[in-house]
Amino acid sequence: MKKLYGKGLLFCMIILCFCICILHLSTREPARSIIAKWTDSEGFMEANTMLPSFAQANIADGTTQLLIGDSIANQLFVSLGEKNPQTAILTTNAALLMPGQYLLAKEYLENHPHATDVFLVIHPLPLTRTFDTEWGYRYGAMTYVETGAIKDLEQNTIDTMEDLYGRFFMNKEVVNLIEASPICRKLCLSYIDFNKENDSLAFPFEMADQYAQKLYDLCQKNKVTLHIHPSPVSEFYREQVTELAEAYTSTWMYSQFPNYFNEIMYYPDEWSEDLSHFSGEYAERDSLNGIIRQAYGTTPLSLLKTE
């Protein structure tokens, strides 16, 4: 019997060592790509696209303005950086969520003592989002942990993430492994997707309102002006956005940015294939410049050079 237990223990140790070896190799090229192909994990190899923005925010590059926002804002503005050397255009996407936009601005202001303005350009619907099991962990929670900026979030936000994803998956070493290993990322994201439920908000703008106020206070502390403007919205969402406008009047944001919903530029559905981002001829630079002029012609964003 002891020999049987011994053989069983030895077998388990061999399997464990094999698994550890595979995980280790799956974080380093060229084995990373090979193992990803063997395990059908090639769709989990992409890098976290939020991290370069945080890295750039930490560079004292002489800019005095910061422009952040969702992927629609990214499509509109990201290629204008060279024409506007005074502005750091660090637009990302909606999955970063409002806590992430706050953290990104905080990183920037800590490294740019002469900053004068922060622009946040974001679609109304992402203002109603919270952590989910699809993108909230990959691009929200993981980004906060990887950058080390999670310490600057409110405790209720950290508690929400730990309750939803599990404290184990908020550990920095675990997150770094998930980032580096495609097979590990596939297993972990699948586990979260199948075994967890999305967070819910008490009212639509709950989390956005909390972090918009924190961002405003941060800007005030640094003697910086905060501007919040909407990304353009397709006609498809007009009814939904109109309903949100009423709820918006009860938020803190409304007290400081009462014209946010009034500024929305609605555009025909035909301009977009996914009803959010511009496509076809409307995705060309000349068309995007015209959209910027139409959407932001009466705001300080109109001072950005597009030609």
Side-chain angles (χ1 to χ4, degrees):
M1 186 63 71
K2 289 183 179 180
K3 289 184 177 181
L4 181 61
Y5 284 144
K7 290 181 180 179
L9 180 60
L10 177 62
F11 178 76
C12 290
M13 290 179 65
I14 292 173
I15 293 298
L16 179 61
C17 290
F18 177 77
C19 291
I20 291 174
C21 182
I22 290 295
L23 283 178
H24 177 74
L25 290 173
S26 71
T27 65
R28 290 167 170 77
E29 295 292 357
R32 183 174 186 263
S33 297
I34 296 171
I35 293 173
K37 186 175 182 179
W38 285 350
T39 57
D40 194 26
S41 306
E42 292 175 294
F44 297 84
M45 293 186 65
E46 80 285 352
N48 187 338
T49 54
M50 310 294 174
L51 298 181
S53 293
F54 279 83
Q56 185 61 40
N58 278 283
I59 297 175
D61 54 7
T63 59
T64 57
Q65 297 179 336
L66 171 66
L67 199 166
I68 55 180
D70 58 23
S71 57
I72 304 172
N74 186 68
Q75 184 181 27
L76 288 172
F77 296 107
V78 72
S79 64
L80 300 180
E82 291 186 3
K83 296 181 175 64
N84 298 275
Q86 80 285 359
T87 305
I89 302 177
L90 304 182
T91 44
T92 52
N93 67 50
L96 186 62
L97 300 173
M98 277 296 286
Q101 301 293 352
Y102 163 77
L103 293 176
L104 184 54
K106 190 173 189 299
E107 293 283 331
Y108 178 85
L109 293 178
E110 287 177 351
N111 294 279
H112 296 79
H114 302 296
T116 59
D117 298 87
V118 170
F119 295 90
L120 171 61
V121 179
I122 191 164
H123 193 285
L125 295 185
L127 292 178
T128 68
R129 290 181 63 170
T130 183
F131 298 102
D132 59 33
T133 59
E134 185 176 8
W135 304 115
Y137 179 74
R138 175 69 183 101
Y139 294 111
M142 284 184 65
T143 300
Y144 311 158
V145 174
E146 288 182 82
T147 59
I150 190 172
K151 66 184 185 302
D152 295 316
L153 295 179
E154 292 295 314
Q155 188 60 45
N156 70 317
T157 306
I158 296 174
D159 291 343
T160 295
M161 290 187 288
E162 290 183 347
D163 289 343
L164 177 59
Y165 305 123
R167 184 170 296 183
F168 176 79
F169 290 107
M170 298 300 297
N171 179 279
K172 189 174 180 65
E173 286 71 26
V174 173
V175 168
N176 288 339
L177 177 60
I178 294 172
E179 181 66 47
S181 169
I183 178 58
C184 189
R185 193 187 309 172
K186 178 181 180 179
L187 291 172
C188 293
L189 294 183
S190 296
Y191 170 80
I192 289 174
D193 186 39
F194 285 115
N195 293 279
K196 304 293 183 178
E197 295 182 0
N198 293 341
D199 183 39
S200 59
L201 299 174
F203 73 98
F205 298 97
E206 181 182 4
M207 188 166 73
D209 207 34
Q210 179 182 16
Y211 281 92
Q213 185 170 2
K214 282 181 67 65
L215 179 55
Y216 179 85
D217 292 343
L218 176 68
C219 289
Q220 290 287 294
K221 179 181 178 181
N222 287 274
K223 296 180 173 57
V224 169
T225 302
L226 174 63
H227 313 261
I228 299 182
H229 301 290
S231 295
V233 177
S234 66
E235 285 289 343
F236 178 83
Y237 292 111
R238 182 187 285 269
E239 183 177 351
Q240 187 176 356
V241 168
T242 300
E243 292 176 357
L244 287 175
E246 183 175 351
Y248 180 76
T249 61
S250 63
T251 65
W252 174 89
M253 290 178 67
Y254 180 76
S255 68
Q256 297 297 325
F257 307 99
N259 294 319
Y260 173 83
F261 275 84
N262 296 330
E263 292 179 2
I264 294 174
M265 170 195 158
Y266 290 96
Y267 63 87
D269 294 344
E270 292 74 20
W271 291 17
S272 172
E273 291 181 357
D274 63 3
L275 300 174
S276 293
H277 304 89
F278 300 100
S279 58
E281 63 181 289
Y282 302 101
E284 297 177 3
R285 188 65 257 173
D286 287 345
S287 295
L288 294 177
N289 290 344
I291 291 168
I292 290 173
R293 288 190 293 270
Q294 185 177 347
Y296 307 108
T298 60
T299 74
L301 284 172
S302 64
L303 299 178
L304 288 175
K305 296 179 181 179
T306 57
E307 304 294 342

